[in-house]
Amino acid sequence: MEKEKIEKVISEAVEEVQNENYKIVLKLKLEGWKLEEIAEIIGKTREAVKNDYKRGKKSLKEILKRKGYILK
Amino acid sequence: MKNKKRIKAKSPDIKNLEEKIENLEEKIDRIEKLLKGFSNYLNPDESKVIYLDKVFRHPIEYNFNFTKKSLANLVKEKLGSTEINQLHELGLSQVEIEDLQSDLYIPDAKTSEKLKEMLGVPWSDFILSKAKTYEIMKDSPEEHIKPYLELDTFTLLEKLISEKLHKKIICFVMNLFVKNKTTDLLTAEPTDYEIKTREEIEKIEKIQEEILLLEYPTDTFAGEKKLHFKITPEQMLDCITSYTSSVFVKLQIEEKPKFYKIQYTEWISEKEGKDSNIVLRDLAQKKVFLLHLSEFQKLWEKANFELIAFYDSSYKLKNIIEEITYIMKEVDMELKYLTDQTIDWMYEEVYEREIYMIFKNKWIIEMCYPDGRREKILSYVIEPSGY
C-alpha cells in the first residue's frame, strides 16, 4: 500500500480509538516523538505512557482489522 | 390414505436429515471462510496490507500530522487582550507570558491544566499544541543554549574565547548571565553582589575585544551550492544594532585596528540635507569618530571586520534572525524582478546557522571570497534538524 494511503487509513483509525489518553499517545508517537518526550509533554511517567501506547496500539489494530486490513 | 400415513411416518427422519445437512452446510461455510482467510493471509490483497510495526518504527516517513497549532497560536486565537493580561493569574511572570506568546515557553503540568481551562480547548488539542511548541522550541536558541546555562558566566566566556572565531559577528546573549547573577543576588549579601558585578563588568571590558562574532560574506558555499549574499553591510548592521546599543566593530581608523563601540546617527547638513552617519567610540581613549556611512563601508570592506554584539536576551537574537531573513527575502524578490533568475532560498538557512553558531558543536563553513580565495572556518554551529 502506498505511504500516503497508509497515513490516511491509520490517521482515520486513530481518530476512532475511544480512550483519549491512548489516542494522544498514538498521535504523538506517529508524529515521531519518543516515549520520554511524550511523557514530558503530557506530564506522566514514561512507564504510564508506555502502557497507554501498548494498549492504544492494540485498540488501533482491532479497528484496522475490523475495517478489513491485514496487519503484518 | 396409505401414502399419507407412510409420509407421516417418515417425516421425523427427513427432518433429522435436513438438520444434519444444514449443519454440514454451516460447517462447510465456516471451513470455506477459514480457508479464504488463510489464503488471503498467504496471498494477501496488497492494497489491504499494513505493516503496522514498521509504521510505528519509522513514522516520519509517512508524514503524520495531527498537530495543527502551537501554544502561541492557540493563545492568540482564543484569548483577547484582556484575557492575556489574566495569564498572570496562572502564576506566570511577564517574561513567561511573553515567551508563551512566542513559543518559547512550556508551562508545567499544573499551569497547563489551568491554561487549558482558560483557553477552553479539549485536553487532546491542548497537548498536541504543546507538542507543536516543543517542536518549535527544539530549534530555538533557548533550547540550544540550555547546556550552557549550567556554566559559570566566565567559564562560558572563556570557552568562547578559547575557540576563537575568525572574522565573525558573534551575538553575545546576556541573559545567559542574568540567571547566574540572580542566583548570586539571592544567595549573597547585596555588597558582595555589587562587588561581583563590578568584577564581572571589568572582566567583560577586558575580554570583549577578544570575542569575535559573525562575518558579512559576499559569497559562500552551502554544500556544493555557491550562494550570493545580497544583503548590504548597512542592512546587516541595522539588524544587529536595532536590538542593542552594545555593538563593537574592529576597524583601523588610527595606527592599529581597534574595537570601537558603534552607533548609527542621522544629521542634517545644510548642503546635503538629512544623512546617515556612524559614530564610533573608542571607549579606552574616550575618543569619538563621526563617519559618513560610505566612508564607514570603505573601512569595513578593507578591514577584517569583526563585530561583537551584546544582547540582553536570546529572544532578541531570534528577532534579528527573523529580520535578516526578511531583508533577504525582499532582496530576493527585487532580484527576481530584475533578472528573473532562479533564487536560491537556501542562504537564509546559512545565515541562521551563522548566527546560531556560537552555541553549538564545531562545524566547518567554507567561505568563498570575491578574489577567488577560499577559507574554511571552524565555528560553533547549531544545526537545527533538517539541515
Side-chain angles (χ1 to χ4, degrees):
Chain A
M1 208 192 296
E2 283 171 12
K3 283 182 178 174
E4 276 176 20
K5 200 186 167 196
I6 293 175
E7 185 268 323
K8 193 170 176 281
V9 167
I10 295 180
S11 296
E12 282 169 6
V14 166
E15 293 298 344
E16 289 178 35
V17 173
Q18 292 294 309
N19 186 303
E20 278 299 309
N21 291 330
Y22 301 171
K23 199 191 279 187
I24 291 171
V25 172
L26 285 176
K27 284 182 176 181
L28 292 175
K29 199 75 185 68
L30 286 169
E31 283 193 347
W33 295 91
K34 291 176 191 159
L35 289 179
E36 292 78 12
E37 292 170 325
I38 297 173
E40 203 183 331
I41 294 167
I42 298 180
K44 281 185 177 179
T45 63
R46 188 188 180 279
E47 278 312 299
V49 169
K50 198 176 168 185
N51 277 335
D52 284 351
Y53 172 51
K54 272 187 186 169
R55 288 174 188 156
K57 211 167 150 187
K58 201 177 159 197
S59 307
L60 181 67
K61 279 182 181 173
E62 281 163 14
I63 292 165
L64 288 168
K65 275 184 191 166
R66 221 169 39 228
K67 287 174 174 247
Y69 290 98
I70 300 154
L71 304 180
K72 286 198 168 181
Chain B
M1 271 304 273
K2 269 185 179 178
N3 278 345
K4 263 189 183 176
K5 271 185 183 173
R6 206 160 55 206
I7 291 166
K8 229 181 181 179
K10 282 183 179 178
S11 64
D13 291 340
I14 292 169
K15 250 187 181 177
N16 277 343
L17 271 173
E18 278 173 354
E19 270 175 22
K20 280 181 182 172
I21 290 168
E22 264 177 35
N23 283 342
L24 276 172
E25 277 173 353
E26 271 175 28
K27 278 181 183 169
I28 290 167
D29 271 355
R30 259 185 278 160
I31 290 168
E32 271 179 351
K33 273 183 190 169
L34 278 172
L35 281 173
K36 201 180 167 189
F38 196 56
S39 152
N40 276 347
Y41 188 79
L42 290 176
N43 303 298
D45 170 5
E46 278 302 318
S47 68
K48 285 283 181 185
V49 175
I50 296 175
Y51 296 87
L52 197 62
D53 287 332
K54 191 184 159 201
V55 174
F56 274 100
R57 268 201 304 274
H58 308 284
I60 302 294
E61 290 176 18
Y62 299 83
N63 290 322
F64 286 96
N65 185 18
F66 300 100
T67 316
K68 306 286 179 215
K69 285 172 190 153
S70 67
L71 281 182
N73 284 337
L74 213 57
V75 166
K76 200 174 170 186
E77 187 188 289
K78 300 281 178 187
L79 302 183
S81 53
T82 351
E83 287 153 320
I84 281 177
N85 290 332
Q86 287 170 2
L87 286 168
H88 286 289
E89 290 165 19
L90 305 182
L92 298 177
S93 69
Q94 187 56 35
V95 175
E96 283 167 341
I97 292 171
E98 282 170 16
D99 284 350
L100 177 67
Q101 289 174 284
S102 309
D103 279 326
L104 294 171
Y105 175 74
I106 301 278
D108 59 23
K110 223 177 181 180
T111 319
S112 289
E113 184 63 46
K114 291 180 198 165
L115 182 61
K116 187 214 84 174
E117 291 294 319
M118 192 183 253
L119 293 168
V121 290
W123 181 242
S124 55
D125 286 3
F126 183 81
I127 291 294
L128 290 171
S129 296
K130 210 171 162 184
K132 183 81 184 171
T133 300
Y134 260 94
E135 196 185 322
I136 294 168
M137 279 182 68
K138 265 184 169 181
D139 276 343
S140 73
E142 280 74 10
E143 195 61 21
H144 292 298
I145 63 177
K146 253 187 194 171
Y148 291 90
L149 286 172
E150 305 304 319
L151 295 177
D152 163 64
T153 307
F154 291 100
T155 313
L156 173 64
L157 212 51
E158 277 155 14
K159 198 172 156 59
L160 287 173
I161 293 161
S162 68
E163 299 288 344
K164 198 169 175 178
L165 305 171
H166 179 56
K167 293 208 286 186
K168 293 282 164 193
I169 297 165
I170 295 181
C171 302
F172 197 70
V173 185
M174 293 303 280
N175 70 347
L176 290 179
F177 304 95
V178 174
K179 188 175 176 179
N180 291 330
K181 276 186 186 170
T182 312
T183 314
D184 289 339
L185 184 64
L186 292 174
T187 55
E189 291 293 319
T191 47
D192 291 345
Y193 171 69
E194 279 173 24
I195 291 166
K196 192 171 170 44
T197 309
R198 198 176 300 130
E199 279 173 0
E200 283 183 351
I201 291 166
E202 279 170 10
K203 278 188 183 177
I204 287 177
E205 283 176 351
K206 198 175 159 192
I207 52 187
Q208 67 189 12
E209 292 197 2
E210 304 269 353
I211 311 162
L212 311 177
L213 305 205
L214 165 135
E215 182 176 15
Y216 168 76
T218 49
D219 293 79
T220 190
F221 278 80
E224 292 298 309
K225 292 194 174 186
K226 188 176 182 184
L227 309 170
H228 298 276
F229 288 81
K230 296 292 181 188
I231 184 169
T232 65
E234 300 94 85
Q235 282 173 317
M236 173 65 95
L237 209 59
D238 249 347
C239 295
I240 291 166
T241 53
S242 52
Y243 295 94
T244 179
S245 59
S246 301
V247 181
F248 296 81
V249 61
K250 195 173 188 181
L251 290 172
Q252 188 168 358
I253 300 180
E254 296 171 290
E255 286 169 25
K256 284 180 186 171
K258 249 188 204 174
F259 270 101
Y260 296 94
K261 188 169 180 178
I262 189 166
Q263 187 186 332
Y264 268 118
T265 184
E266 275 187 352
W267 73 3
I268 299 168
S269 116
E270 280 180 16
K271 285 181 186 170
E272 293 164 25
K274 206 171 168 184
D275 212 347
S276 289
N277 290 279
I278 297 277
V279 177
L280 297 170
R281 292 172 199 277
D282 176 350
L283 293 183
Q285 301 295 322
K286 293 186 178 171
K287 281 185 190 172
V288 177
F289 299 87
L290 186 67
L291 265 81
H292 189 268
L293 200 61
S294 58
E295 280 303 305
F296 171 75
Q297 200 172 328
K298 273 185 216 161
L299 279 170
W300 192 354
E301 277 166 6
K302 228 166 40 181
N304 284 337
F305 38 85
E306 292 165 357
L307 270 185
I308 308 169
F310 291 90
Y311 295 99
D312 59 5
S313 75
S314 40
Y315 178 68
K316 288 182 178 170
L317 183 64
K318 193 174 165 274
N319 286 338
I320 294 157
I321 295 167
E322 280 171 8
E323 206 165 303
I324 289 175
T325 313
Y326 177 74
I327 291 172
M328 291 186 138
K329 272 185 187 161
E330 274 201 330
V331 174
D332 257 357
M333 283 189 274
E334 210 177 300
L335 271 180
K336 202 167 189 173
Y337 175 71
L338 290 173
T339 63
D340 198 30
Q341 68 185 49
T342 314
I343 303 302
D344 193 340
W345 294 87
M346 271 184 70
Y347 60 67
E348 287 175 16
E349 291 172 4
V350 172
Y351 245 116
E352 284 184 24
R353 282 189 291 199
E354 298 261 317
I355 293 171
Y356 278 127
M357 82 184 81
I358 55 169
F359 302 116
K360 235 203 156 189
N361 299 329
K362 284 174 193 170
W363 200 68
I364 298 197
I365 300 173
E366 191 169 335
M367 309 300 295
C368 179
Y369 298 98
D371 59 7
R373 223 165 14 100
R374 283 197 194 179
E375 189 182 4
K376 280 188 177 174
I377 295 164
L378 198 62
S379 358
Y380 287 97
V381 171
I382 287 172
E383 196 168 50
S385 58
Y387 285 173

